[in-house]
Amino acid sequence: MAAWGEIRATRDVDFVTLLPLATVRRAFEQRGIAFQVRAGDPPGADLPWVLTGEIEGAAFDVFTPRHATPFATISVQPAGMEGHPIEVLALPDLIRLKLEAGGPKDLWDVAKLIGRHTGERDRAMDLARSLGIGAELDLWVNRSSPGRA
């Protein structure tokens, strides 16, 4: 979210991957990183699995998107971390994955993103309607836009 201009306080860092759960588990086990795995909420409806843990006080979630749908990333340079670019989701895919998750925080995030990046609004609204959550997203868009009814 921060890479796309929407700063918000979160308690964890999310990582998205298309690697199989067994591969991700093995990578964490080999590095001695403690983790737990749970099914998505509700089971199978948003995310097939979520691997959670904490490293040096920083909580993290690693997950694969619903239907293991491919996504694009871009490289960004975080402020104060010269020479250490990180990969983040490309904006259309960030919006898509948040709409597929479909929770209240996800819809709020999408509303804020399409308010800032208005060129993504129509595509986001079309996708939300195809997922059966168009009315819900419209409510969040109206809540996040001052002066709209």
Side-chain angles (χ1 to χ4, degrees):
M1 292 292 295
W4 295 107
E6 285 301 323
I7 307 300
R8 63 181 179 91
T10 59
R11 297 178 186 212
D12 64 0
V13 177
D14 291 338
F15 297 94
V16 63
T17 183
L18 292 177
L19 295 172
L21 175 58
T23 302
V24 176
R25 290 178 75 117
R26 192 167 37 258
F28 278 82
E29 289 166 352
Q30 289 172 346
R31 289 162 180 80
I33 300 170
F35 62 88
Q36 296 179 329
V37 177
R38 66 173 174 78
D41 298 320
D46 64 351
L47 302 172
W49 54 266
V50 179
L51 183 145
T52 62
E54 187 175 301
I55 299 174
E56 296 181 16
F60 64 85
D61 292 331
V62 181
F63 59 90
T64 193
R66 181 168 52 173
H67 310 299
T69 310
F71 53 86
T73 61
I74 64 164
S75 185
V76 298
Q77 181 69 55
M81 294 188 63
E82 299 307 318
H84 293 85
I86 60 171
E87 295 295 310
V88 300
L89 287 168
L91 183 58
D93 285 331
L94 174 60
I95 291 170
R96 177 177 53 87
L97 292 177
K98 287 197 163 286
L99 288 174
E100 287 177 355
K105 289 180 184 177
D106 300 300
L107 295 178
W108 172 251
D109 287 344
V110 171
K112 298 301 280 183
L113 287 168
I114 64 177
R116 179 175 296 275
H117 304 277
T118 56
E120 296 294 323
R121 188 185 195 309
D122 290 343
R123 181 179 10 206
M125 294 306 297
D126 288 345
L127 178 56
R129 281 191 288 276
S130 76
L131 294 168
I133 57 172
E136 290 90 336
L137 179 57
D138 196 48
L139 288 173
W140 286 106
V141 168
N142 288 330
R143 287 180 187 163
S144 71
S145 301
R148 289 191 65 177

